[in-house]
Structures are given as structure tokens and as C-alpha cells.
Amino acid sequence: MKFAHSFSQVLEEEDFPADWQAAAIRYRQLKKCIKKVQKELSELGLTAEILKSLVKQSGAMMASEEGESTPKPGTVQSFQPKLVLTIDAVDGIPLDINFSEETRRSLENLVRKNTQTTEVEDGFQSIEVGSSQGETRPACVRFGRSVKNIEITLCSDSEFFHLLTSELTSLEALQSRAEGEIKSNVVAIGGAVTGVAAPKSANSKSDLYPWREIFRIYVESGIFFSNRESENHQERTVEKAQEQLALFNSEIHRLGLGTKFKNPCSLHLLRRFIGVNMDVLRVMRFQAINKLAMTKILKKFDKRTALGAREIFPEFIASDSFLASHLARAICYTMSSSLLNLIPQLDNYLCPICSSISVKPVRLSCSHVFCVRCLVKLQRAQKRSCPMCRRDAVLEADSSNLDLSLLSFLKEYFPKEAKLKQQENEREVAMEQWKAVHNDIFGGPKDCVIS
């Protein structure tokens, strides 16, 4: 199946809005422009084979009117492609003598027979290059010691690149608009989740725990970016992101988290949250198909004309300025800062020694936090150094190091975990007290007990 047909079919079958379809790359129209370029080059006696030889042997190249090798977004009107030929200043033929006779004759016809001197000034000669249809186009000749450059403006080529750049401008504008809408949605959902997932002290129908589990699964799913360090947190392909989102939805359904909500608004917010991720996927799919269309049309241009379009427009193929891969990254950053961080995760408040919630939390002078039971054990063992930074801070800690504000926060946002840890601490203290009494009665080592 030809790409032009499959490209149109994908645009029609996918759930892209009408304005998105209108902004998509006009692949068929660009193909017609390529045919015009071929015809114009043929009139100048330049076939694709001859141009390939020129690029390889004599350094012929394309450039913009300003002398830049690559056009910039936003300079559609000023960009004027041209063909630059470096020839011998004496006999007017390319410097390399290894051209075939057919190629040499074509170049001689182009340089000698179809040029007409119009002005000579300070070593700079302006000429006009004519076509078989009698039309003329401006060209310039710059003299050096033994060589000169002929710059030939290609009108059909200009039409192709103007259309190409205009398409890219429209796509970038559409992408920016879609990114803004998605980010606004994320912020709005974040504000609503803050209300339904507030701690019980502020909300009798708090959905704190279901939402915490949802966000935990979401982060672990790594939908748009790999969460494995071995993969360097690489961005997902559209297909892989879609697969990961499906796994996320499946896990939410398997755990029945949608049925655990106490507030009826939460289910609606969950659907909106999943919808935002679907929106990001839709933009990524639109990016991918248009980027593929751009790559293919430039490849076709080079194949038919040998003018090196992929070297002229590299930033539109690979860089972040065209159909930017940074969109998913930007939206994920907004999602993380405006939504996922609204609900504290337990992993951020674990004691680094026992890997359990830090209740009661003791903050050492070095600022590292441990649960009180683990710190007591360190002091009993006469350990002076902090396990995290090795500073001498353990033995100097006392009751004043208890972080009361953090303790209050943990009891508010992790009430179940804090209660369970407190019960474990109490059982451990009770066992230590029982052992001390037992040793006192029946003999044995007598350690001091700190509760």
C-alpha cells in the first residue's frame, strides 16, 4: 500500500479532530511539488544522476538565500533555496575532470549556452539562467583566483520548501495549543483531587487511600517514560505507551479501586485522569504519523532530485523544534508537580534502617530522620555515626530531636501505617521490659530499657 493512501487512511480512522486533520502534512501536494522540481531541473539539463555526480565530485550544494544551509522555523517568506555550482573560472566547467561526456555536455549547456551576462562589478558578475521555455531566472557568479560559483534559484524548489515550512508551522501551533489544553486539564483535575483525597480530619468521605494507590500504580507503570534506570528513563514509543496505559487500567480494574471510593466525584475524576492520558497518546500518535510523513517526503525529494533536502532540514526531523518529543515530558512534569505530588507516598517517609514508616520520627543534627526505635538501638550499641552521612550525631540526640510537625503530618496522611507502627513499637517495648524483668528474677544480662 502506498504511503499517501495509508497516511490518509490513518488520519481518517483515528479519533483526530477535524482541525488536526486539516493541519496534517499535505503529502500528496508535496509529491506534486517534487514533480515540478524534477521538471525544472530537467529543463536546466540537470538530472538526478548528474546532480549526484556534482555533489560527489565538485561540491555542488543547496543553500538558502541568506547563505544558510538550514532554514529556520518562522522564516518562511525569506527562505529561498538555490543551487550553488562551483566551476572553473576560465573554461566554465566543473573543476573535476572525471565527469562523463554526457554530464560534461549538460553542464556546459547550463553554464555557457543558457547564461547571459547582465552586469560586472568589483569581481562580482550577475547572470540570468534560461529554461527551455524561454523563462529566465537570476543567478550570481563570484570570482576567485581560479574558480567561480554559480547560484541558480530554483522556483519549484522554493514552492516545495515554502509549503513544507508552512506545514511545520501549523503543526507546531497545533501542538502548542494541545499541550496547553492538556496541562490546564491536569491542573483542574489536581485541584479536584485535592478536595476528595484530603485527610479524614478535613473530609469525612476521604478517598486518600484509593487515590494514593492509583498514583502509586501510575508511577510504577511508567506509561510515557521507562522507570528503569537500566533504560535511562527513556521515552516510550506510542505503541509501548499505549500498552503501558492498558496495563495501568487493567490493574486499577483488578484491584477494584474504582469501587472503593466514598466520594462519588472520585470516579468521575478517575475517568478524567485516564482521559488526559488518552489525550497525550492521541497527540503522540498524531506526531508520529506526521513525522513519518515528513521523513518519507524528504526521502522521496532526495531520491527524485538528489538535492539533499534531509541535510537542509535536519532540525525538523530530529530536533525538539519539530513535532517535539518533549511534549510528553512537559505534560508529565506538569502531571507530577500539579497532581501526583498532591498525595504523599509512603516510600518518601520510610526509616532507612527498618524500611518502615518513621513513627516516631527523630531528626538528627545532620537532618537525617529515623524512627525512634531504630535510633534507640543505635545508641544502645554506642554507634556514634549517622548511618546515612557518617557524621557524629547519634549519641547526642535526645527527646528534643523528636520532629513533632512531621509526626503530626504522618499521623494525618498515613493514619493506618502510623497506627500499625505504633502498635509494633509498643509490642517491642513490652518484650524488652518482660525480658528485663525475667533476667532480674532469674538472672541474666541487665540492659537498660528506653521506651
Side-chain angles (χ1 to χ4, degrees), residues 85-90 92-95 111 141 146-150:
L85 300 177
T86 303
I87 63 174
D88 190 291
V90 178
I93 60 175
L95 299 175
V111 175
V141 179
S146 60
V147 298
K148 59 185 177 181
N149 289 337
I150 293 184

Side-chain angles (χ1 to χ4, degrees), residues 7 51 108 118 197 229 290 313 331 360:
F7 180 55
L51 283 168
E108 287 174 350
T118 59
E229 290 187 9
N290 278 280
F313 272 59
I331 291 175
K360 303 172 181 180

Side-chain angles (χ1 to χ4, degrees), residues 360-378:
K360 303 172 181 180
V362 177
R363 188 178 299 276
L364 301 181
S365 59
C366 60
S367 294
H368 290 115
V369 177
F370 303 90
C371 68
V372 66
R373 294 301 302 160
C374 288
L375 185 65
V376 166
K377 292 174 184 177
L378 288 175

Side-chain angles (χ1 to χ4, degrees), residues 71-215:
K72 298 178 181 179
T75 59
V76 178
Q77 300 301 323
S78 62
F79 177 65
Q80 186 68 47
K82 57 191 176 184
L83 181 65
V84 180
L85 300 177
T86 303
I87 63 174
D88 190 291
V90 178
D91 57 17
I93 60 175
L95 299 175
D96 199 295
I97 62 174
N98 295 322
F99 289 111
S100 67
E101 285 301 318
E102 181 182 0
T103 301
R104 185 178 297 280
R105 283 196 300 270
S106 296
L107 293 174
E108 287 174 350
N109 289 335
L110 173 64
V111 175
R112 294 175 179 172
K113 296 180 181 180
N114 293 333
T115 60
Q116 181 178 347
T117 302
T118 59
E119 184 180 359
V120 178
E121 181 181 349
D122 296 332
F124 179 90
Q125 184 172 352
S126 177
I127 62 176
E128 289 189 352
V129 180
S131 68
S132 61
Q133 298 177 348
E135 299 174 345
T136 61
R137 66 197 77 239
C140 300
V141 179
R142 290 186 176 86
F143 291 92
R145 292 182 180 177
S146 60
V147 298
K148 59 185 177 181
N149 289 337
I150 293 184
E151 300 174 354
I152 305 171
T153 299
L154 301 173
C155 299
S156 298
D157 202 29
S158 300
E159 180 184 348
F160 175 84
F161 282 108
H162 283 176
L163 178 60
L164 187 66
T165 313
S166 177
E167 298 283 276
L168 297 176
T169 302
S170 297
L171 285 169
E172 288 179 359
L174 186 147
Q175 174 180 281
S176 296
R177 188 169 66 250
E179 181 179 345
E181 291 173 356
I182 293 172
K183 284 184 175 181
S184 296
N185 251 337
V186 169
V187 173
I189 293 172
V193 169
T194 301
V196 298
K200 270 196 172 182
S201 58
N203 181 8
S204 59
K205 292 185 177 181
S206 173
D207 286 325
L208 174 63
Y209 277 89
W211 276 108
R212 175 178 290 135
E213 186 67 5
I214 289 169
F215 288 161

